[in-house]
Amino acid sequence: MDDGLVSIGAVAKRFGIQPSALRYYEEQGLLRPAARRAGRRYYGPEELRRLALIQIYTNTGLMSLAQVKEILAATTKSQKFQEILRSHVELLNQQIARAEHARETLEHHLTCGYEYPMRCPWLLEHLQGVLDRGDAGNA
Protein backbone atom coordinates (compact mmCIF):
# COMPACT_ATOMS: atom_id res chain seq x y z
CA MET A 1 0.00 0.00 0.00
CA ASP A 2 1.25 3.52 -0.73
CA ASP A 3 0.37 4.83 2.76
CA GLY A 4 3.08 2.71 4.39
CA LEU A 5 0.63 0.30 6.00
CA VAL A 6 1.28 -3.43 5.83
CA SER A 7 -1.39 -6.13 5.89
CA ILE A 8 -1.62 -8.61 8.75
CA GLY A 9 -0.54 -11.43 6.45
CA ALA A 10 2.56 -9.57 5.28
CA VAL A 11 3.47 -8.64 8.87
CA ALA A 12 3.05 -12.22 10.01
CA LYS A 13 5.28 -13.43 7.19
CA ARG A 14 7.92 -10.77 7.88
CA PHE A 15 8.09 -11.74 11.58
CA GLY A 16 7.77 -15.49 11.04
CA ILE A 17 4.58 -15.82 13.07
CA GLN A 18 0.97 -16.70 12.35
CA PRO A 19 -1.64 -13.97 11.81
CA SER A 20 -3.48 -15.48 14.78
CA ALA A 21 -0.53 -14.46 16.99
CA LEU A 22 -1.03 -10.84 15.93
CA ARG A 23 -4.74 -11.09 16.69
CA TYR A 24 -3.88 -12.62 20.08
CA TYR A 25 -1.46 -9.77 20.84
CA GLU A 26 -4.30 -7.41 20.04
CA GLU A 27 -6.68 -9.28 22.37
CA GLN A 28 -4.05 -9.05 25.12
CA GLY A 29 -3.66 -5.30 24.64
CA LEU A 30 -0.09 -5.52 23.36
CA LEU A 31 -0.63 -4.32 19.83
CA ARG A 32 -3.22 -2.43 17.82
CA PRO A 33 -3.46 -2.20 14.06
CA ALA A 34 -3.01 1.28 12.64
CA ALA A 35 -6.07 0.77 10.43
CA ARG A 36 -8.77 -1.66 9.40
CA ARG A 37 -9.99 -1.82 5.85
CA ALA A 38 -12.66 -4.19 4.66
CA GLY A 39 -12.27 -6.10 7.91
CA ARG A 40 -8.50 -6.58 7.49
CA ARG A 41 -5.88 -5.28 9.86
CA TYR A 42 -3.02 -3.09 8.67
CA TYR A 43 0.06 -2.06 10.62
CA GLY A 44 2.31 0.97 10.27
CA PRO A 45 5.95 1.58 11.21
CA GLU A 46 5.15 2.32 14.87
CA GLU A 47 3.26 -0.96 15.27
CA LEU A 48 6.02 -2.90 13.50
CA ARG A 49 8.62 -1.46 15.87
CA ARG A 50 6.41 -2.35 18.83
CA LEU A 51 6.04 -5.90 17.50
CA ALA A 52 9.83 -6.15 17.07
CA LEU A 53 10.25 -5.14 20.72
CA ILE A 54 7.64 -7.69 21.82
CA GLN A 55 9.58 -10.38 19.97
CA ILE A 56 12.88 -9.31 21.53
CA TYR A 57 11.29 -9.56 24.97
CA THR A 58 9.64 -12.93 24.36
CA ASN A 59 12.16 -14.75 22.13
CA THR A 60 14.24 -15.87 25.11
CA GLY A 61 11.25 -17.67 26.55
CA LEU A 62 11.88 -15.96 29.87
CA MET A 63 9.35 -13.13 29.69
CA SER A 64 5.62 -13.68 29.71
CA LEU A 65 3.25 -11.63 27.61
CA ALA A 66 1.78 -10.23 30.83
CA GLN A 67 5.22 -8.92 31.78
CA VAL A 68 5.72 -7.52 28.29
CA LYS A 69 2.41 -5.71 28.63
CA GLU A 70 3.49 -4.25 31.97
CA ILE A 71 6.79 -3.07 30.52
CA LEU A 72 5.17 -1.50 27.48
CA ALA A 73 2.69 0.36 29.68
CA ALA A 74 5.26 1.56 32.23
CA THR A 75 7.74 4.37 32.11
CA THR A 76 11.41 3.48 32.18
CA LYS A 77 11.67 5.12 35.60
CA SER A 78 8.92 3.04 37.24
CA GLN A 79 9.88 0.49 39.85
CA LYS A 80 7.97 -2.31 38.08
CA PHE A 81 9.79 -1.64 34.80
CA GLN A 82 13.16 -1.69 36.55
CA GLU A 83 12.35 -4.86 38.55
CA ILE A 84 11.16 -6.85 35.55
CA LEU A 85 14.07 -5.87 33.34
CA ARG A 86 16.71 -6.39 36.04
CA SER A 87 15.40 -9.88 36.82
CA HIS A 88 15.41 -10.78 33.13
CA VAL A 89 18.91 -9.42 32.60
CA GLU A 90 20.06 -11.70 35.44
CA LEU A 91 18.23 -14.69 33.94
CA LEU A 92 19.81 -13.99 30.55
CA ASN A 93 23.25 -13.72 32.16
CA GLN A 94 22.70 -17.15 33.71
CA GLN A 95 21.59 -18.57 30.35
CA ILE A 96 24.63 -17.08 28.65
CA ALA A 97 26.97 -18.52 31.27
CA ARG A 98 25.42 -21.99 30.82
CA ALA A 99 25.65 -21.71 27.03
CA GLU A 100 29.30 -20.59 27.17
CA HIS A 101 30.06 -23.47 29.52
CA ALA A 102 28.40 -25.94 27.15
CA ARG A 103 30.26 -24.45 24.16
CA GLU A 104 33.59 -24.76 25.97
CA THR A 105 32.90 -28.41 26.72
CA LEU A 106 31.79 -29.19 23.15
CA GLU A 107 34.78 -27.38 21.65
CA HIS A 108 37.06 -29.41 23.91
CA HIS A 109 35.43 -32.62 22.67
CA LEU A 110 36.26 -31.58 19.10
CA THR A 111 39.95 -31.19 19.87
CA CYS A 112 40.41 -33.78 22.62
CA GLY A 113 42.89 -36.54 21.83
CA TYR A 114 40.94 -39.15 23.77
CA GLU A 115 38.76 -41.54 21.83
CA TYR A 116 36.03 -41.61 24.49
CA PRO A 117 34.99 -38.40 26.25
CA MET A 118 34.56 -40.09 29.62
CA ARG A 119 38.27 -41.04 29.58
CA CYS A 120 39.46 -37.47 29.03
CA PRO A 121 41.28 -36.14 32.14
CA TRP A 122 40.21 -32.55 31.37
CA LEU A 123 36.56 -33.56 31.19
CA LEU A 124 36.73 -35.75 34.29
CA GLU A 125 38.34 -32.93 36.27
CA HIS A 126 35.78 -30.49 34.92
CA LEU A 127 32.90 -32.78 35.85
CA GLN A 128 34.30 -33.34 39.33
CA GLY A 129 34.41 -29.55 39.79
CA VAL A 130 30.75 -29.35 38.84
CA LEU A 131 29.90 -32.06 41.37
CA ASP A 132 32.04 -30.47 44.09
CA ARG A 133 30.35 -27.09 43.62
CA GLY A 134 26.96 -28.75 43.85
CA ASP A 135 25.73 -27.20 40.61
CA ALA A 136 25.31 -30.40 38.62
CA GLY A 137 21.85 -29.20 37.58
CA ASN A 138 23.57 -26.35 35.75
CA ALA A 139 26.35 -28.44 34.21
Side-chain angles (χ1 to χ4, degrees), residues 112-134:
C112 182
Y114 286 83
E115 187 174 0
Y116 297 101
M118 293 307 294
R119 293 193 180 148
C120 170
W122 178 90
L123 181 61
L124 295 176
E125 182 179 325
H126 179 72
L127 294 175
Q128 190 58 51
V130 168
L131 295 172
D132 292 346
R133 287 188 307 274

Side-chain angles (χ1 to χ4, degrees), residues 55-69:
Q55 285 205 310
I56 288 170
Y57 286 155
T58 58
N59 278 346
T60 62
L62 299 176
M63 195 176 294
S64 71
L65 288 178
Q67 289 172 319
V68 171
K69 185 176 180 180

Side-chain angles (χ1 to χ4, degrees), residues 39-61:
R40 294 189 66 201
R41 294 165 170 85
Y42 290 88
Y43 300 89
E46 183 178 335
E47 293 79 23
L48 296 178
R49 286 189 295 271
R50 186 176 179 98
L51 181 56
L53 185 58
I54 291 167
Q55 285 205 310
I56 288 170
Y57 286 155
T58 58
N59 278 346
T60 62

Side-chain angles (χ1 to χ4, degrees), residues 13-135:
K13 186 175 182 179
R14 177 187 274 180
F15 282 87
I17 58 178
Q18 295 296 314
S20 60
L22 295 168
R23 289 188 290 273
Y24 183 74
Y25 291 165
E26 184 179 339
E27 289 170 16
Q28 298 304 307
L30 293 165
L31 188 65
R32 274 188 287 177
R36 286 180 187 253
R37 296 185 183 139
R40 294 189 66 201
R41 294 165 170 85
Y42 290 88
Y43 300 89
E46 183 178 335
E47 293 79 23
L48 296 178
R49 286 189 295 271
R50 186 176 179 98
L51 181 56
L53 185 58
I54 291 167
Q55 285 205 310
I56 288 170
Y57 286 155
T58 58
N59 278 346
T60 62
L62 299 176
M63 195 176 294
S64 71
L65 288 178
Q67 289 172 319
V68 171
K69 185 176 180 180
E70 283 185 89
I71 291 169
L72 293 174
T75 67
T76 59
K77 304 281 189 234
S78 76
Q79 183 176 351
K80 191 65 169 175
F81 181 93
Q82 295 291 322
E83 286 173 4
I84 291 171
L85 291 185
R86 279 194 180 103
S87 71
H88 283 86
V89 166
E90 179 56 32
L91 289 170
L92 284 171
N93 285 337
Q94 292 170 12
Q95 261 189 352
I96 290 166
R98 286 191 299 270
E100 287 174 345
H101 181 261
R103 182 186 63 218
E104 178 184 322
T105 302
L106 294 173
E107 285 175 343
H108 177 78
H109 287 333
L110 289 171
T111 60
C112 182
Y114 286 83
E115 187 174 0
Y116 297 101
M118 293 307 294
R119 293 193 180 148
C120 170
W122 178 90
L123 181 61
L124 295 176
E125 182 179 325
H126 179 72
L127 294 175
Q128 190 58 51
V130 168
L131 295 172
D132 292 346
R133 287 188 307 274
D135 62 354

